[in-house]
Amino acid sequence: MNPLSAVGAAAIGSPAVGAPFAAPDAPSAPVRETGGDSGFAASIPGAVDELRGLQSQADALKVAAVTGDLDDIHAAMIASTRAAVTLELVAAVRNKGVDAFNEIMRMQA
């Protein structure tokens, strides 16, 4: 059994010589069709909901690990790391948005 398949990762291999590079299939978020320029604004609640889901999954796995009900500690660590990285990304996007807003306000003054 491939240990990477347990966490949903593919094995790393070298492509054939002369073969075109193909990006690995990545899960994509559903695209929401909204009117006007509100696509970014509509994607923010989806990102926050995804973050909440990742955090609750990580918390459930942590509880299972502490109580001894978890067989694979790697799954708990991966879920915890994914939640932490996603939180950092959401915070960075929020900070950039606030910085952009402040810059616009400063230009109008």
Side-chain angles (χ1 to χ4, degrees):
M1 180 177 141
N2 182 359
L4 294 176
S5 64
V7 294
I12 299 173
S14 60
V17 176
F21 175 75
D25 293 335
S28 60
V31 177
R32 296 182 184 172
E33 294 284 331
T34 58
D37 294 328
S38 62
F40 178 75
S43 67
I44 297 297
V48 171
D49 291 341
E50 181 181 350
L51 174 61
R52 285 185 189 144
L54 288 172
Q55 286 177 333
S56 65
Q57 178 186 14
D59 290 343
L61 288 172
K62 286 177 192 176
V63 169
V66 169
T67 59
D69 296 333
L70 185 66
D71 294 330
D72 185 17
I73 191 68
H74 300 315
M77 292 304 299
I78 290 170
S80 178
T81 303
R82 286 184 70 192
V85 169
T86 304
L87 177 62
E88 289 176 14
L89 175 65
V90 169
V93 169
R94 183 211 54 201
N95 291 342
K96 287 293 185 178
V98 169
D99 290 344
F101 175 79
N102 288 336
E103 183 68 24
I104 291 169
M105 287 294 132
R106 192 170 35 147
M107 285 190 298
Q108 290 179 354

